[in-house]
Amino acid sequence: MALPTSEVLTVPAPARRRRRSGLLANGKAVTGLVILGFLTVFAVIGPWIAPYDPGERGDDLLVGPNAQHWFGTTHLGQDILSQILDGTRSVMLVGIVAGLVATVLAIVFGVSSGYFGGTGGEGLSALSNVFLVIPALPLILIITLSLPETNDLTIALVIGFTSWAWGARVLRAQTLSLRRRDYVEAARATGESTWRILGFEILPNLTAVIAASFVSTVIFAVLSEITLAFIGVPGVSEWNWGAILFWAQSQQALAQGAWWWFVPAGLAIALLGTGLALVNFGIDEYVNPRLRGGHQRVRGVRMRVGFTPVLPEEAR
Amino acid sequence: MSGEPVLDIRGLSVDYGLGDAAVHAVRDVSLTLHRGEVLGLAGESGSGKSTLAYGMLRLLPPPGVVRSGQVFYHPGDDEPVELMSLSAKRLRRFRWAEVAIVFQGAMNSLNPVHTVATQLTDVIAAHEPRTTPAARRARAVELLTLVGINADRLGSFPHQLSGGMRQRVMIAMALALEPRVVVMDEPTTALDVVMQRQILAKLVELRERIGFSVLFITHDLSLLVEFSDRIAIMYGGRIVEDAPAGQLYRDSLHPYSDGLLHSFPALRGPRRELTGIPGSPPDLRAMPSGCAFHPRCPKAFDPCAERTPTLLAPDGREDQNRTVACWLHTADRAMT
Amino acid sequence: MSYLLRRIGFYAFTAWAAITINFFLPRAIPGDPVQSLIARAQGQLSTDAIQSLYILFGLDDEQSLVSQYFEYWGQLLSGDLGLSFTFFPSPVSDVIADSLPWTLALVGFTTVISFLLGTALGVVAGWWRGTWADLLMPVTTFLSSIPYFWLGLIAITLFADQGGAFPSSGGYDPGVVPGWDLDFIGSAIHHSLLPAITILITSMSGWVLSMRNMMLTVAAEDYITVAHAKGLSQRRVMVSYAARNALLPNVSAFALSLGLIVGGTLLVEIVFSYPGIGFQLFSAVGAKDYPLIQGIFLIITLSVLVANLVADLVYLLLDPRTRKEG
């Protein structure tokens, strides 16, 4: 029962409409991108516009937000706003590097296991499932602690090398279904080279899935890295938001009622996370049209599965 | 043959989307299904035939909306019921008890996680809550036997059945509440030719025994010529011709009907030349002016591109119980 | 059954992989951690204990890597995970045995509850789209993007500090003696409420979002239209047709993401100083207690694998297509 919806929706839109389509027509994605853009600016210029040196001790010990210190100070009189601005770069850099590494691995493992199939494909898929099932954070933790030297880059690499499995799984499923499509079968039958098929027939159709998997990995990487810093794993850059929370926790900020010490860092994390999540929703809705259609109520008409609305006289 | 009307569609228009973005998929369609009749609805994909059927039962998923029109159901003795103004609760009671549907491609029409028995009995339980579970099960066995499936299949899940069997389960389900009308949406498209014949033969037999009316939707006009009493042809969201099956087959009036008839090899009767129709179905977002078919029509002339023809009895054949929307045949009256 | 056997085989393989990673990683640690431990223990270590540490860390030069590997397996199978540095000379297995029940009770319980609650809310949010249920979306988006431990900090500030209704740390009141009596259980529940709610709120939102999306995807399936056409009640279509099918991918996602969730959840224990595995992990990181970190990693991995197997069994019951055809 192919309800005619799909037929109608695949009819090409007139060019005038098409200009606003795609990801940029999606409110959620745009909001997310604006948030991310805003944070990226801070990641770049943060350390320069910070009013104080984030490590510099001042005379105002543990004071709440005021005109000199917008976000208050630590027990050593350090300016929390400056620490957060300084930490933005490390947080975002680790997230992006880890996301890139994981996405490249996900593409390599996912697409090849989906496209080539057979024992090798099954083996690669089993490998990614192993990485999926092993608890990620403890694994990252023991690897990081085994390394002779840790810094932002090594931590980003460890996260990247351990968190590609989810993306690989999604890409594999997608590749499997693409491989059976007629145009791919046709390309194979006419003897196109494997690389050409992968590069021109498969990958372009995976763009959205790849983007979504990149964004999710960045979310995961950011949270992992902040968590590592919060537990006190050495090597994370000094004013990572997780490190700020680590100091707040270990200096009993809670017991002293110094809420300004941990609230801004948490909100910054939430802002970054929400921005990334919104971009992902946008991609999801772009890939899966069934999720679209936020404007379900127009002029008193409620769209509802199973009960097609009848337009009232005045809405016609 | 053409007795009392049982389902009467009047000026139904169905859109996808609202406001300026709306796509008009069904435009001002009127159609009548009579008691005991098999009415065929044919057209290319995108012609609006399925939209019409689901729209009249208000089963179209979002963004489908009924823009205007009325659909009357005549239950026989009682007052007719108007479907577009029914409340959700009354609509639910009406559905399946009066009009049941056999859906296209039974693969996805059955819920994969429930057994055949559950899916046959839940509809009885919903409409006849006072029946006992044992009675419902007995009824389910009876229904399966009716369509030629062994009762031991009751405990099967859909994935354990063949395509033909699934479709027969759907037919059994459609008959569960003895509806007066059964809508068949491409009921045999997903099946092989042998299975198609079997299923249709079964349907003909059941209709003779039980006596329901059928609205048969398909793009395969040759099937309709064989199995239906009347045929309505849709194009671009409108009905362009509506005539008794034999008349339409021997003497189609609309050039589009003619094209459709020449797109399929006839199963019986004299051989015809296969020509097909040049061009492709219209874009519903940017419909041609006038008669939607005129850009593809071999016989198009002056008025076709400018004014939309209405569905009227053809000139000189007012006695033949058929209508057509074409300037070739209704020019005299529409010009005035 | 072949499905189940395949899954068990896969989990056995994963367990082997985790144990092997655990074996090789410390052999990459530079320096000699055993020497530093001996120095800290000030001659109280028996030669047997030292020998077992050397085996654990692969510093036993006289043996080949292969025989080290087999010896490691032998130790593991007899339940010997080495000795903890921080709780010296307690064996790691004892430290874990003390803290594991706390974690199983807190994390295990809340993870299941959050999945069930989140899924139920997701059903509602997906089914009643276009109504007030849409308001759930921005809230859950925000909640799902904050770290668990941070929400824990906020919860403590709001509800536990300075005479709040809940204790801010520990697993039970200091005055209570652990045992199976009402006093202790009541105190333990009181202490676990705030961490449990923290975990619930953050981990639930992910399930709300994914179940909602599955509901929206399933709502366009043919069998849903059939169910409406059959005139079934709204409730029956929603529960028995839409939610019942949407649940399947959500359950497999649950199984697959257990490893991700558990890691984050454990950290809530740190904030609340809750005497579970996560808190031990935190202290072990602080003290560079490698044997304990390794042991905890192994135990978490094995627990997650068992939980996965259970989730697979549930899936098997839910989806007739994976059952052996009759």
Side-chain angles (χ1 to χ4, degrees):
Chain A
M1 183 197 78
L3 283 179
T5 325
S6 54
E7 290 166 19
V8 173
L9 290 179
T10 49
V11 173
R16 176 174 45 86
R17 265 187 210 293
R18 199 178 292 169
R19 218 174 291 150
R20 270 196 65 239
S21 73
L23 204 54
L24 290 182
N26 187 296
K28 289 178 189 159
V30 171
T31 315
L33 286 172
V34 168
I35 294 177
L36 293 183
F38 176 75
L39 286 169
T40 310
V41 169
F42 280 118
V44 175
I45 63 167
W48 298 322
I49 59 162
Y52 298 88
D53 178 334
E56 185 190 77
R57 299 178 182 200
D59 298 328
D60 302 325
L61 304 185
L62 210 61
V63 294
N66 58 50
Q68 278 83 45
H69 303 281
W70 290 358
F71 288 180
T73 61
T74 69
H75 66 301
L76 298 175
Q78 296 153 327
D79 182 54
I80 291 173
L81 174 64
S82 304
Q83 295 185 344
I84 291 197
L85 284 173
D86 195 74
T88 314
R89 187 181 289 178
S90 129
V91 170
M92 294 197 63
L93 215 55
V94 172
I96 288 168
V97 171
L100 283 177
V101 170
T103 306
V104 169
L105 287 172
I107 294 172
V108 170
F109 282 95
V111 173
S112 54
S113 86
Y115 186 78
F116 296 112
T119 326
E122 290 296 320
L124 286 179
S125 146
L127 182 70
S128 53
N129 282 342
V130 167
F131 269 93
L132 205 53
V133 170
I134 295 182
L137 202 66
L139 181 65
I140 294 171
L141 197 60
I142 68 161
I143 296 179
T144 316
L145 290 174
S146 303
L147 293 175
E149 199 192 313
T150 45
N151 52 41
D152 274 348
L153 183 65
T154 51
I155 287 173
L157 291 178
V158 170
I159 297 175
F161 276 104
T162 49
S163 54
W164 50 271
W166 187 268
R169 193 184 154 82
V170 178
L171 283 172
R172 171 182 143 90
Q174 201 69 21
T175 310
L176 276 174
S177 84
L178 280 177
R179 195 167 70 115
R180 291 190 214 102
R181 301 266 169 91
D182 291 343
Y183 60 88
V184 177
E185 297 279 7
R188 283 210 292 196
T190 53
E192 289 267 16
S193 83
T194 304
W195 291 115
R196 214 186 139 73
I197 298 174
L198 283 178
F200 288 90
E201 314 282 357
I202 304 271
L203 279 181
N205 286 298
L206 292 175
T207 320
V209 183
I210 292 172
S213 122
F214 172 73
V215 176
S216 336
T217 319
V218 173
I219 296 178
F220 174 74
V222 164
L223 285 181
S224 305
E225 166 215 6
I226 286 169
T227 306
L228 291 183
F230 175 68
I231 308 180
V233 169
V236 183
S237 97
E238 202 176 359
W239 303 116
N240 182 294
W241 297 339
I244 298 174
L245 292 173
F246 170 78
W247 288 113
Q249 160 90 348
S250 60
Q251 295 303 322
Q252 308 287 324
L254 282 179
Q256 304 181 49
W259 55 267
W260 58 87
W261 202 344
F262 53 85
V263 168
L267 287 180
I269 298 168
L271 188 65
L272 177 56
T274 308
L276 289 164
L278 285 173
V279 172
N280 238 1
F281 292 161
I283 298 173
D284 276 352
E285 290 180 5
Y286 178 72
V287 175
N288 184 352
R290 290 174 182 185
L291 304 179
R292 266 183 236 158
H295 310 289
Q296 298 277 307
R297 256 178 198 284
V298 177
R299 281 173 280 172
V301 180
R302 186 176 158 230
M303 296 280 192
R304 186 173 160 198
V305 174
F307 294 93
T308 310
V310 179
L311 291 187
E313 209 60 60
E314 65 273 13
R316 284 172 194 165
Chain B
M1 186 68 23
S2 58
E4 299 286 296
V6 58
L7 203 59
D8 200 359
I9 305 170
R10 291 196 200 153
L12 194 70
S13 295
V14 182
D15 289 355
Y16 288 107
L18 296 165
D20 296 338
V23 171
H24 308 300
V26 168
R27 301 161 184 238
D28 192 21
V29 165
S30 298
L31 190 66
T32 306
L33 176 65
H34 298 95
R35 202 164 297 282
E37 180 183 58
V38 176
L39 173 61
L41 191 57
E44 290 164 296
S45 54
S47 61
K49 54 191 193 304
S50 293
T51 306
L52 172 63
Y54 294 108
M56 78 181 184
L57 296 170
R58 296 176 58 192
L59 276 172
L60 275 182
V65 289
V66 174
R67 187 157 42 96
S68 57
Q70 290 172 309
V71 178
F72 291 98
Y73 171 77
H74 301 271
D77 321 328
D78 293 334
E79 285 291 293
V81 182
E82 205 282 298
L83 300 187
M84 296 303 119
S85 54
L86 279 187
S87 67
K89 193 177 161 200
R90 289 193 56 206
L91 187 59
R92 239 192 317 266
R93 261 203 314 243
F94 169 85
R95 283 176 178 171
W96 218 258
E98 309 293 340
V99 179
I101 309 179
V102 176
F103 290 84
Q104 191 178 77
M107 184 68 216
N108 292 321
S109 305
L110 290 167
N111 185 342
V113 298
H114 290 315
T115 60
V116 169
T118 312
Q119 299 187 55
L120 282 174
T121 51
D122 69 354
V123 66
I124 306 173
H127 290 273
E128 295 160 19
R130 263 174 282 176
T131 49
T132 63
R136 279 176 230 151
R137 207 176 163 81
R139 177 91 182 117
V141 171
E142 208 177 297
L143 287 166
L144 282 190
T145 320
L146 200 64
V147 294
I149 295 181
N150 202 314
D152 63 9
R153 285 298 192 172
L154 268 183
S156 299
F157 287 96
H159 71 278
Q160 295 166 324
L161 304 176
S162 69
M165 265 205 235
R166 280 197 292 264
Q167 196 61 308
R168 277 187 281 174
V169 168
M170 283 308 292
I171 292 172
M173 199 187 291
L175 302 180
L177 304 173
E178 298 175 0
R180 278 171 222 268
V181 177
V182 176
V183 175
M184 308 234 175
D185 182 18
E186 309 259 8
T188 58
T189 310
L191 305 175
D192 62 68
V193 183
V194 180
M195 193 52 75
Q196 273 191 16
R197 294 274 124 196
Q198 280 187 17
I199 297 270
L200 288 175
K202 193 63 165 180
L203 273 174
V204 170
E205 178 206 322
L206 288 172
R207 190 178 68 92
E208 273 157 19
R209 262 166 64 187
I210 304 168
F212 45 85
S213 314
V214 177
L215 179 62
F216 194 145
I217 302 163
T218 180
H219 63 273
D220 187 348
L221 198 51
S222 63
L223 276 182
L224 289 185
V225 169
E226 200 174 342
F227 287 101
S228 59
D229 304 315
R230 286 185 77 80
I231 297 177
I233 309 274
M234 276 191 90
Y235 186 81
R238 291 178 198 276
I239 291 186
V240 294
E241 186 163 9
D242 178 358
Q247 279 184 22
L248 189 100
Y249 180 66
R250 285 187 306 272
D251 179 22
S252 60
L253 295 178
H254 199 286
Y256 178 64
S257 316
D258 203 48
L260 268 189
L261 281 167
H262 288 91
S263 305
F264 296 99
L267 290 163
R268 294 188 191 147
R271 284 168 151 269
R272 292 160 170 271
E273 197 186 336
L274 289 183
T275 49
I277 310 168
S280 51
D283 177 354
L284 288 173
R285 287 174 216 258
M287 288 287 274
S289 60
C291 170
F293 187 60
H294 85 262
R296 298 167 76 187
C297 184
K299 296 176 184 166
F301 64 114
D302 290 344
C304 296
E306 276 145 37
R307 280 173 304 145
T308 311
T310 38
L311 196 61
L312 294 167
D315 298 338
R317 300 172 195 239
E318 285 80 2
D319 55 334
Q320 280 187 356
N321 185 25
R322 60 188 292 181
T323 47
V324 64
C326 180
W327 292 120
L328 286 171
H329 304 284
T330 57
D332 296 356
R333 276 157 302 154
M335 291 302 235
T336 55
Chain C
M1 274 307 102
S2 74
Y3 167 79
L4 200 57
L5 283 179
R6 270 208 320 275
R7 297 308 295 168
I8 292 175
F10 166 70
Y11 293 128
F13 176 74
T14 310
W16 170 81
I19 290 168
T20 306
I21 291 174
N22 224 4
F23 169 78
F24 281 106
L25 271 180
R27 280 152 184 80
I29 302 178
D32 187 344
V34 179
Q35 283 304 330
S36 68
L37 180 67
I38 295 169
R40 256 174 65 181
Q42 293 167 341
Q44 288 171 4
L45 278 180
S46 72
T47 42
D48 279 356
I50 293 176
Q51 187 56 27
S52 100
L53 278 174
Y54 271 113
I55 292 168
L56 185 75
F57 286 105
L59 302 166
D60 189 355
D61 293 331
E62 285 142 44
Q63 278 185 308
S64 70
L65 208 59
V66 179
S67 63
Q68 280 182 37
Y69 185 61
F70 281 108
E71 197 149 342
Y72 177 73
W73 267 99
Q75 280 196 331
L76 271 190
L77 292 176
S78 60
D80 180 3
L81 295 168
L83 300 178
S84 161
F85 290 10
T86 17
F87 299 92
F88 195 81
S90 315
V92 165
S93 48
D94 285 4
V95 177
I96 289 176
D98 284 344
S99 44
L100 190 60
W102 292 97
T103 299
L104 285 183
L106 177 70
V107 175
F109 189 69
T110 47
T111 304
V112 173
I113 297 284
S114 90
F115 174 73
L116 295 179
L117 263 177
T119 302
L121 275 178
V123 169
V124 172
W127 192 254
W128 299 107
R129 181 160 76 154
T131 65
W132 58 267
D134 284 1
L135 294 177
L136 268 174
M137 289 307 107
V139 178
T140 46
T141 307
F142 177 76
L143 287 178
S144 65
S145 49
I146 56 180
Y148 294 66
F149 62 82
W150 185 69
L151 195 71
L153 292 172
I154 299 292
I156 291 175
T157 323
L158 293 179
F159 303 110
D161 269 3
Q162 280 108 31
F166 294 97
S168 66
S169 71
Y172 51 92
D173 286 330
V176 181
V177 183
W180 290 111
D181 52 55
L182 278 181
D183 269 0
F184 173 69
I185 293 173
S187 169
I189 290 178
H190 188 214
H191 275 75
S192 63
L193 271 180
L194 209 52
I197 292 170
T198 305
I199 298 174
L200 264 184
I201 289 177
T202 32
S203 63
M204 199 170 77
S205 42
W207 301 121
V208 177
L209 294 171
S210 72
M211 189 64 181
R212 171 183 178 266
N213 281 1
M214 280 321 302
M215 285 293 284
L216 294 182
T217 308
V218 165
E221 292 287 341
D222 294 347
Y223 50 81
I224 301 296
T225 311
V226 175
H228 282 298
K230 282 161 85 175
L232 302 180
S233 71
Q234 184 84 324
R235 222 180 88 103
R236 178 149 179 99
V237 182
M238 174 173 92
V239 175
S240 182
Y241 283 72
R244 184 65 176 68
N245 280 286
L247 186 62
L248 296 176
N250 225 32
V251 169
S252 35
F254 177 70
L256 286 170
S257 51
L258 270 173
L260 288 178
I261 304 166
V262 167
T265 319
L266 288 175
L267 297 165
V268 175
E269 295 185 352
I270 302 172
V271 178
F272 287 92
S273 308
Y274 191 82
I277 294 269
F279 186 59
Q280 297 295 7
L281 187 65
F282 174 62
S283 0
V285 169
K288 306 217 169 6
D289 187 348
Y290 291 107
L292 187 52
I293 296 173
Q294 280 203 324
I296 289 175
F297 168 68
L298 265 193
I299 233 53
I300 294 174
T301 306
L302 293 181
S303 317
V304 166
L305 292 185
V306 171
N308 253 292
L309 193 60
V310 173
D312 278 347
L313 283 173
V314 171
Y315 191 90
L316 201 63
L317 291 176
L318 287 176
D319 189 354
R321 283 162 294 189
T322 50
R323 276 179 237 156
K324 189 79 186 162
E325 311 213 347

